Amino acid sequence: MNNQSVNLTAKKTNSKLTILFDGGSRGNPGIAGAAAVIKQPGAKTISVSQFFPHATNNEAEYTGAILGLEKALEIGAGQVVLKGDSQLVINQLKGTWRVKTAHLRPLWTKAKSLLNQFDSVQLEWIPRAQNSEADAVANQTMDQRKGVGAVRKKATELPKVQHSLPKLADQSSELPKAKPSLPKLADQFSELPKVKPVPKLANQISELIAIAKNAGVKDFLKLKSGRDEFTSKRFPTLKEMVPAPVQNAIASAMADADQSTLAKVYRWYLRGLPADLAIRKVQVDLEVSEKILQRRQKK
């Protein structure tokens, strides 16, 4: 998407529309879906969506907001309430959070230019449970590999970016064979606080720590938690349990990760994996899940 303001405004009405937006990325970055659900008083609900072969979760969420705002202008809305469960998007558009990530700035600029074309704007963060409609459309977009914005062979509207975490999978194989090597990450994380492994995983975690940088995909896949005391805990609770230096290091290494992904990393850290191995464990699981999904969809 370009940075210029695009005036899509039809003849404005006094109607106040509510836009629910969401976006998701399977792999983060990976295949992504952006969506918005527009609710009009006394009129039919409108859904818009777009599929991207490769984008981050934050890029998808921003795109969902942009799609909704563009559609609202197209149908002549003068007042709009924009709601989403992305604290990053809502707070950055409000101006309470800075846009620190360079590849998000063009999307922020685009969204701000659209917001400025309304007579009245209200931005509201809502819990994920209240955003199920937009979430469902975004997931359907990923499942069906299509959206209103049309499927592209390349995500040409999203700026390319060098992510700090490399892809783990060998794209030519059905399941990843390549080792998720992050030696620099391990060195940077070596001084961080560690947690004693939970008893039922102590042996497996100790073995994984012993081979550390030489651990391959299969080594990480063997480590399974089952249901434990951390499984049902959500991001805010888990975050309070993780030391601040570890939080900061993980956030720095996973700049585009959503709260769901960070929660997975926090759980593995609290189970006893050092922070760098916790990140690698979650990466492997996400990559493998994506490969399995692709195989199923080909059948």
Side-chain angles (χ1 to χ4, degrees):
M1 296 184 179
N2 57 48
N3 297 340
Q4 298 178 349
S5 174
V6 179
N7 191 336
L8 299 174
T9 312
K11 185 176 180 180
K12 288 185 179 180
T13 68
N14 289 324
S15 62
K16 189 174 186 178
L17 304 187
T18 297
I19 302 172
L20 300 170
F21 75 90
D22 203 1
S25 173
R26 295 173 181 170
N28 199 32
I31 66 165
V37 175
I38 301 172
K39 295 183 176 294
Q40 310 174 76
K44 186 178 180 180
T45 296
I46 299 173
S47 297
V48 288
S49 63
Q50 187 163 344
F51 169 74
F52 292 106
H54 190 78
T56 68
N57 186 73
N58 290 335
E59 288 170 332
E61 289 178 324
Y62 256 113
T63 302
I66 288 169
L67 289 173
L69 293 169
E70 287 179 337
K71 192 64 178 179
L73 286 170
E74 181 184 315
I75 62 180
Q79 303 176 61
V80 67
V81 180
L82 183 66
K83 298 182 179 184
D85 60 67
S86 170
Q87 293 190 43
L88 180 137
V89 172
I90 293 296
N91 285 314
Q92 286 185 347
L93 291 178
K94 282 183 175 181
T96 54
W97 289 10
R98 292 172 55 195
V99 184
K100 297 180 180 180
T101 311
H103 70 278
L104 292 181
R105 182 161 289 278
L107 297 172
W108 174 85
T109 302
K110 174 69 174 179
K112 290 290 287 185
S113 72
L114 293 168
L115 288 169
N116 289 337
Q117 296 181 53
F118 293 96
D119 297 327
S120 172
V121 171
Q122 182 179 337
L123 303 174
E124 182 180 339
W125 176 84
I126 56 175
R128 179 176 293 275
Q130 296 179 21
N131 203 29
S132 58
E133 291 178 85
D135 176 70
V137 177
N139 276 289
Q140 184 180 43
T141 299
M142 286 185 275
D143 293 339
Q144 297 179 351
R145 301 296 204 274
K146 63 183 180 182
V148 172
V151 178
R152 294 174 172 79
K153 291 184 180 179
K154 295 182 180 179
T156 54
E157 292 188 353
L158 293 179
K160 293 182 179 179
V161 58
Q162 294 295 325
H163 298 280
S164 58
L165 298 178
K167 289 185 178 180
L168 305 184
D170 178 357
Q171 299 297 326
S172 63
S173 62
E174 292 190 359
L175 285 177
K177 295 179 181 178
K179 179 181 66 177
S181 176
L182 295 173
K184 291 183 179 179
L185 186 60
D187 292 340
Q188 294 170 1
F189 281 34
S190 61
E191 301 302 318
L192 292 175
K194 296 179 176 61
V195 176
K196 184 178 179 180
V198 295
K200 73 173 185 178
L201 297 175
N203 291 337
Q204 290 175 278
I205 287 177
S206 295
E207 291 174 2
L208 194 55
I209 292 173
I211 58 176
K213 296 177 184 179
N214 294 320
V217 169
K218 290 183 178 179
D219 297 307
F220 285 97
L221 291 179
K222 289 178 183 177
L223 183 59
K224 299 185 183 299
S225 65
R227 290 198 62 84
D228 61 15
E229 61 182 301
F230 304 110
T231 305
S232 61
K233 287 182 171 59
R234 292 292 164 261
F235 177 79
T237 303
L238 293 165
K239 186 175 181 180
E240 291 179 359
M241 301 171 70
V242 176
V246 177
Q247 290 182 37
N248 294 336
I250 292 173
S252 176
M254 306 184 75
D256 292 316
D258 58 13
Q259 288 188 358
S260 176
T261 302
L262 290 175
K264 290 182 175 69
V265 177
Y266 288 166
R267 289 188 188 103
W268 279 110
Y269 171 79
L270 293 168
R271 288 169 183 142
L273 279 180
D276 61 307
L277 295 184
I279 291 174
R280 291 168 67 185
K281 167 62 178 170
V282 171
Q283 286 183 307
V284 167
D285 288 347
L286 290 173
E287 289 278 354
V288 171
S289 295
E290 174 59 24
K291 286 292 182 180
I292 292 173
L293 177 63
Q294 291 175 356
R295 290 172 60 188
R296 288 175 178 172
Q297 291 176 338
K298 288 178 181 178
K299 291 181 180 179

